[in-house]
Amino acid sequence: MELTGAQILLESLKREGVKHIFGFPGGAVIDIYDQIPNYPIQHYLVRHEQGAVHAADGYARSTGKVGVCLVTSGPGATNTVTGIATAYMDSIPMVIFTGQVPTPLIGNDAFQEVDIVGITRPCTKHNYLVKDIEKLAGTIKEAFYIASTGRPGPVLVDLPKDIMQAKTGYEYPETISIRSYNPNYLPNRKQVKKAVRLIAKAEKPLIYAGGGVISSHAGQVLTRLARKHAIPVTATLMGLGAFPGNDPLWLGMLGMHGTFPANMAVNNSDVLISVGARFDDRVTGKVNTFAPRAKIIHIDIDPTSIRKNVSVHIPIVSDCLNALEAMEQELDSLEDLDWQQKHDSWLKKVQKWADEHPLKYESKEGVVKPQFVMEKIYQITKGEAIISTEVGQNQMWAAQFYRYHAPRTLLTSGGLGTMGYGFPAAIGAQVAHPDKLVIDIAGDGSIQMNIQEMATAMSYKLPVKIVILNNGYLGMVRQWQELFYNRNYCSTCLHLNPDFVKLAQAFGAEGYLIEKNEDVEPVLTKAFASPLPCIVDVRVEPEENVYPMVPAGASLTEMLLV
Amino acid sequence: MRHVLSVLVENEPGVLSRVAGLFSGRGFNIDTLNVGPTLEKGISLMTITTFGDEQIIEQIVKQLRKVVSVIKVVDLTDLKSVEREMVLIKVNAEDSKRAEILRVADIFRCKVVDVSVDEITLEVTGDQGKIKAIVNLLQRFGIKEFARTGTVALRRSMQ
């Protein structure tokens, strides 16, 4: 039987197990929308295409499945670019379908035409323009395969309108093989042995976990390995949740806003085991003083990440799960060592740093501190919520003062730092996890970037909670202005914020205002229990800063503390 | 240091842009770039010359390998290889200079591909050193136009 291009697309999505897609219709994709009701796929209509991509991204991060979105040509397609770049920087598996003008019009500056394949080339893992209906099914199969294998990433498929209307016989390929694409999943055994020998000799080992641990489902093995061999663990922002945040070996995040014990441990470690992390500048600070005493073992599925920023002693190109399992086996074959005893003095030293400089903030009479709000959210949720964040101070407080016990419980734009990410991502996560509490930690600046998606949350009865740490500023930039630009608060004061409570109510959602410490717990508890989406506007200390802070370009040990 | 990279790619729309975009987007520089089809249908060979220290070249090679349409990348620099480039040079050739120009052309085994009253166009093939040398020699007559293909290279069979 012959199917139209639109039917082939939806049938293929069904075969890929896609149940939820996020999108926004337009002229170029009407044929697809016309067919959606005939397929077991729930479409979520967003209010802006950027919301669709971030929602698909939040869906992907919280489940590990490929997130899918569908938008029209031209402006619909260009509106996705920020979301695509966000997913690309954080290696999130996603397939983006964009409508395109009919093939005879391509290149003619037709209405709503844009070269989206050209525009997104630098920020997708791969992309396609389908010019032949015979290639449509195969292309979709490839897109899902490429997005979800190796180092995951977004793949864009551009679909001209006439291809969606054309008809052909349908056959979905069972398997796929791409000559030029063969990700390496298995570690080199010799390298693993070398790494293990190094670990066995180490007196001050440290594990530095990144997002790769989460995307390769390696959290459990990592945790087992660290506990069994008494190795303290730190993580990047993307790695939070890879190791339980309430474990005694947990040091907290490292880097620019990392904890004192984490940064000191990096500086003093003799073997640094980096797993699925890429030595980002926000993590390393001044590169040539990063981990100066350590031999570095670097596990990453992407060879380009290895030796890009720092020199590495033992590179292991592999999926993190396979590499850690291989390491675990090799470590088991070593003669019995009392690891606890071997690392005893190192663990004590690390503990001493933690005791001397824990994460802290100064309480002030009559003022709500954002860190206090995060602590309360952790207490109320017992660490069992899915937290998404916007970007800036709110994001860093969410990283520091909430403890993530499991992978995929923190959704945050790490690499690109996309303001406006958190709320639509939370919507995507709530679609995937209808029974879980999903909370977007926001700033008053960033929430205004995609607040229109409250209509989406309301339409589909998605009870996402937004907690705005409202300080009346673009807080992180203001903090930099205060510390490094002589308090020249140019364009960072948000003079005219909307009344967020009324704004929530305007959408039919619930709005709450918190201005006093004693209201924090009861109001948050009430909001979290509500079946509706809520905005909780918490008026916090306007000029509170995120500490510790390593100034850009300084060494990790040069921390500004509270 | 100068490196010659031989890059086998799928011959599909946008592949040149993917490769060139990778260089520009990451701040690497392409010195010369040459693309042509291979004997195998659907596959093209790019020869890219670029400059950089070891770490930069390692990144370039790895980044190229990461491009989904790239099948194989070989850095020919450390291998024995044959390198050639073809250049067309249009040079001023008044009567009094013509004989000398033709003598130089002969020494360098160039071909004269076009002649007019006061110009000669030469076709030169060779490695970078040879091309540099003939350009130096011809410059004093006045080079009016100059077009080069960029390097093509193959590794030698006997390594």
Side-chain angles (χ1 to χ4, degrees):
Chain A
M1 195 179 78
E2 291 207 323
L3 300 182
T4 65
Q7 288 169 324
I8 289 173
L9 168 67
L10 292 161
E11 186 62 37
S12 305
L13 291 184
K14 193 174 101 185
R15 303 272 180 108
E16 287 294 333
V18 175
K19 296 194 170 61
H20 310 275
I21 61 176
F22 303 88
F24 199 100
V29 284
I30 293 184
D31 295 279
I32 303 169
Y33 276 86
D34 188 50
Q35 289 294 330
I36 287 178
N38 303 330
Y39 288 84
I41 292 170
Q42 167 85 46
H43 176 268
Y44 290 85
L45 172 66
V46 293
R47 294 300 184 270
H48 186 291
E49 289 87 350
Q50 191 186 344
V53 193
H54 290 328
D57 177 312
Y59 185 92
R61 287 188 208 225
S62 66
T63 59
K65 295 181 194 162
V66 178
V68 181
C69 61
L70 169 62
V71 300
T72 195
S73 64
T78 52
N79 276 347
T80 64
V81 173
T82 302
I84 295 173
T86 305
Y88 182 66
M89 289 291 275
D90 290 342
S91 309
I92 304 306
M94 189 192 288
V95 177
I96 304 100
F97 293 101
T98 49
Q100 184 54 279
V101 300
T103 45
L105 294 182
I106 291 177
N108 289 1
D109 299 332
F111 176 66
Q112 291 196 330
E113 182 194 354
V114 77
D115 172 17
I116 195 64
V117 168
I119 289 173
T120 58
R121 217 168 261 142
C123 63
T124 49
K125 186 172 171 187
H126 197 55
N127 58 16
Y128 299 90
L129 166 62
V130 183
K131 289 175 98 170
D132 176 0
I133 189 170
E134 301 301 333
K135 292 191 174 153
L136 178 60
T139 302
I140 295 167
K141 180 85 186 171
E142 274 188 25
F144 276 85
Y145 175 65
I146 290 174
S148 58
T149 52
R151 179 180 182 166
V155 177
L156 182 139
V157 184
D158 201 19
L159 304 166
K161 188 175 169 93
D162 57 327
I163 303 291
M164 290 297 96
Q165 291 170 331
K167 278 188 166 182
T168 190
Y170 178 68
E171 196 180 337
Y172 199 60
E174 287 296 316
T175 55
I176 198 103
S177 118
I178 305 170
R179 176 170 46 180
S180 52
Y181 176 75
N182 297 296
N184 181 40
Y185 284 97
L186 293 172
N188 178 308
R189 278 278 162 181
K190 272 190 191 160
Q191 292 293 92
V192 171
K193 280 191 172 141
K194 269 198 227 168
V196 164
R197 277 203 295 274
L198 202 59
I199 294 169
K201 270 196 279 179
E203 287 178 358
K204 300 170 187 171
L206 177 68
I207 292 173
Y208 148 44
V213 177
I214 292 171
S215 56
S216 68
H217 308 277
Q220 275 188 349
V221 191
L222 180 98
T223 306
R224 208 162 58 216
L225 196 132
R227 284 177 178 161
K228 203 162 159 190
H229 304 95
I231 304 173
V233 182
T234 179
T236 66
L237 178 64
M238 297 304 298
L240 293 179
F243 186 79
N246 51 359
D247 191 285
L249 289 167
W250 173 241
L251 304 184
M253 183 172 73
L254 82 166
M256 180 175 273
H257 293 296
T259 65
F260 186 82
N263 285 348
M264 292 304 286
V266 171
N267 193 59
N268 286 277
S269 65
D270 59 359
V271 170
L272 184 67
I273 310 156
S274 164
V275 194
R278 62 192 173 92
F279 297 87
D280 179 85
D281 55 283
R282 285 293 189 265
V283 157
T284 61
K286 192 175 177 182
V287 177
N288 44 16
T289 58
F290 179 77
R293 297 163 181 85
K295 290 221 161 35
I296 298 178
I297 300 164
H298 188 179
I299 302 169
D300 205 299
I301 195 156
D302 180 359
T304 59
S305 283
I306 293 175
R307 275 206 288 267
K308 187 164 65 182
N309 300 327
V310 299
S311 64
V312 168
H313 299 83
I314 302 180
I316 300 178
V317 177
S318 163
D319 177 76
C320 293
L321 179 65
N322 293 334
L324 288 174
E325 279 177 347
M327 272 167 104
E328 202 180 22
Q329 264 181 27
E330 287 294 330
L331 280 163
D332 284 346
S333 70
L334 290 178
E335 55 185 300
D336 271 350
L337 272 175
D338 186 341
W339 295 91
Q340 199 66 42
Q341 197 194 10
K342 186 168 168 356
H343 298 154
D344 187 52
S345 66
W346 170 234
L347 291 171
K348 277 190 180 138
K349 198 167 186 180
V350 171
Q351 188 57 47
K352 190 163 165 270
W353 285 321
D355 294 341
E356 279 169 2
H357 297 286
L359 280 172
K360 63 178 176 194
Y361 56 93
E362 284 166 1
S363 303
K364 209 157 79 182
E365 191 70 29
V367 176
V368 183
K369 291 282 184 163
Q371 300 93 332
F372 172 74
V373 179
M374 283 315 307
E375 285 175 342
K376 280 290 167 205
I377 292 175
Y378 178 66
Q379 278 172 22
I380 298 166
T381 61
K382 302 183 183 72
E384 283 165 10
I386 294 177
I387 303 288
S388 74
T389 79
E390 303 295 337
V391 164
Q393 288 184 316
N394 62 82
Q395 181 184 31
M396 289 300 113
W397 286 319
Q400 292 176 331
F401 288 87
Y402 188 98
R403 289 174 175 245
Y404 301 89
H405 297 175
R408 307 192 181 282
T409 52
L410 171 64
L411 320 174
T412 192
S413 169
L416 197 67
T418 310
M419 290 171 73
Y421 167 81
F423 182 37
I427 287 176
Q430 188 80 78
V431 166
H433 304 273
D435 300 327
K436 277 208 157 183
L437 177 59
V438 183
I439 306 167
D440 173 34
I441 306 300
D444 46 319
S446 42
I447 195 58
Q448 294 183 60
M449 287 206 171
N450 275 317
I451 190 67
Q452 76 286 346
E453 297 308 331
M454 185 53 98
T456 309
M458 283 304 296
S459 306
Y460 299 98
K461 300 187 171 54
L462 300 166
V464 173
K465 315 300 173 197
I466 301 172
V467 178
I468 304 176
L469 303 174
N470 186 344
N471 53 18
Y473 283 109
L474 300 174
M476 190 57 97
V477 186
R478 188 213 56 76
Q479 176 171 341
W480 282 52
Q481 288 172 330
E482 176 191 330
L483 298 175
F484 313 116
Y485 292 85
N486 205 21
R487 290 183 181 251
N488 179 15
Y489 294 170
C490 179
S491 295
T492 43
C493 182
L494 298 168
H495 293 289
L496 201 108
N497 272 332
D499 180 331
F500 289 110
V501 173
K502 281 191 187 156
L503 186 60
Q505 288 161 353
F507 282 106
E510 286 176 5
Y512 299 91
L513 179 66
I514 297 178
E515 290 178 300
K516 289 182 289 197
N517 277 317
E518 52 270 33
D519 289 345
V520 173
E521 190 167 339
V523 173
L524 286 177
T525 307
K526 190 175 168 198
F528 293 170
S530 164
L532 283 176
C534 303
I535 294 179
V536 186
D537 179 7
V538 193
R539 300 295 166 86
V540 298
E541 162 87 289
E543 295 194 39
E544 183 67 15
N545 287 341
V546 182
Y547 290 117
M549 178 176 194
V550 177
S555 304
L556 283 192
T557 47
E558 298 172 56
M559 279 168 278
L560 308 174
L561 300 165
V562 179
Chain B
M1 187 183 157
R2 176 176 175 269
H3 282 251
V4 182
L5 306 178
S6 183
V7 185
L8 213 56
V9 298
E10 300 281 355
N11 184 359
E12 59 189 22
V15 67
L16 177 61
S17 164
R18 280 182 211 286
V19 168
L22 183 156
F23 276 77
S24 62
R26 293 184 182 270
F28 305 139
N29 191 30
I30 295 177
D31 191 41
T32 71
L33 170 66
N34 181 291
V35 199
T38 62
L39 290 178
E40 195 173 343
K41 205 178 161 210
I43 295 187
S44 292
L45 181 70
M46 290 186 182
T47 311
I48 303 171
T49 58
T50 182
F51 287 87
D53 60 28
E54 201 185 322
Q55 199 254 343
I56 287 180
I57 299 297
E58 183 182 327
Q59 263 301 307
I60 292 176
V61 170
K62 283 175 171 176
Q63 294 286 357
L64 282 169
R65 286 187 180 138
K66 201 165 131 179
V67 174
V68 172
S69 320
V70 168
I71 300 164
K72 193 176 174 190
V73 184
V74 181
D75 184 352
L76 293 174
T77 317
D78 295 333
L79 300 167
K80 287 179 186 149
S81 61
V82 206
E83 261 183 56
R84 289 292 180 272
E85 181 170 17
M86 197 190 86
V87 183
L88 295 173
I89 308 173
K90 190 184 281 179
V91 62
N92 266 331
E94 301 139 25
D95 287 346
S96 61
K97 308 282 184 202
R98 191 164 294 231
E100 197 179 344
I101 291 170
L102 289 174
R103 218 167 23 245
V104 171
D106 191 38
I107 293 165
F108 279 82
R109 278 177 256 169
C110 304
K111 265 193 216 155
V112 176
V113 288
D114 189 39
V115 183
S116 71
V117 184
D118 55 357
E119 288 172 351
I120 292 181
T121 303
L122 300 175
E123 173 194 312
V124 196
T125 308
D127 62 15
Q128 291 234 313
K130 179 176 170 185
I131 287 166
K132 207 168 158 191
I134 192 167
V135 168
N136 276 342
L137 279 171
L138 294 177
Q139 238 156 7
R140 64 197 171 100
F141 302 105
I143 294 175
K144 298 180 89 172
E145 281 183 67
F146 184 73
R148 58 198 296 178
T149 59
T151 300
V152 289
L154 284 180
R155 58 182 288 191
R156 286 190 189 274
S157 306
M158 301 281 281
Q159 285 293 321

